Amino acid sequence: MISRRIFIKNTAVVCACSGLATTLVAGCKSIHYVSSPLADNRLTLKKSEFTYLRKEEIHLRAWVVVKSPGIPFPVGVFRADDTHFFASYLECTHQGCEVEPEGSYLQCPCHGSEYDNRGKVQHGPAEADLKTFAVETDTDNIYILLK
């Protein structure tokens, strides 16, 4: 028979470990942020930011989030393929929270609004699409035109 004190101690350890495991798993899904100065009303992002190495294999990210001191919210850039990228301003049109990439879509953590990878609202309470930007590319870079 186990004493009450040992039972409570073991239960506390199990709870603490499960919380840590959840944090570690969530950390694997981290959002990749980059910084870009705002120059001539555009942000510049290297295409290589979408590439990462895991277990000696090259993988491609679906999203990169670009922050700039010149704008209040970051811009999410979705990679559709090697030549097509879509950029959306990550300010929820419902109440102004910062939306976050979740797989192939964007979600507002405040009230649950969802947008597709091109910034179009899919589920409310938001009723308007995210602001989107034209994107140009060259061999190495992605240019987000903020006009």
Side-chain angles (χ1 to χ4, degrees), residues 10-95:
N10 289 345
T11 303
V13 169
V14 168
C15 289
C17 289
S18 66
L20 177 61
T22 302
T23 302
L24 292 174
V25 170
C28 294
K29 189 186 96 168
S30 67
I31 299 168
H32 183 63
Y33 288 93
V34 297
S35 181
S36 173
L38 181 60
D40 297 326
N41 268 341
R42 73 179 189 178
L43 301 171
T44 302
L45 167 67
K46 295 238 177 257
K47 285 184 177 179
S48 61
E49 294 291 348
F50 285 89
T51 307
Y52 66 99
L53 189 64
R54 183 176 64 199
K55 295 184 181 180
E56 299 181 23
E57 293 180 4
I58 295 175
H59 296 271
L60 294 172
R61 292 181 173 91
W63 292 96
V64 171
V65 175
V66 183
K67 290 187 166 195
S68 175
I71 56 175
F73 281 86
V75 174
V77 181
F78 179 78
R79 179 191 174 278
D81 59 38
D82 290 338
T83 58
H84 295 92
F85 299 86
F86 302 101
S88 299
Y89 194 55
L90 298 184
E91 179 182 17
C92 183
T93 58
H94 175 238
Q95 288 189 350

Side-chain angles (χ1 to χ4, degrees), residues 74-124:
V75 174
V77 181
F78 179 78
R79 179 191 174 278
D81 59 38
D82 290 338
T83 58
H84 295 92
F85 299 86
F86 302 101
S88 299
Y89 194 55
L90 298 184
E91 179 182 17
C92 183
T93 58
H94 175 238
Q95 288 189 350
C97 292
E98 185 176 321
V99 298
E100 300 172 347
E102 286 288 334
S104 64
Y105 64 97
L106 296 161
Q107 184 169 28
C108 179
C110 296
H111 301 105
S113 294
E114 291 183 9
Y115 304 86
D116 69 10
N117 53 33
R118 295 181 187 202
K120 300 215 178 292
V121 70
Q122 302 297 298
H123 301 290

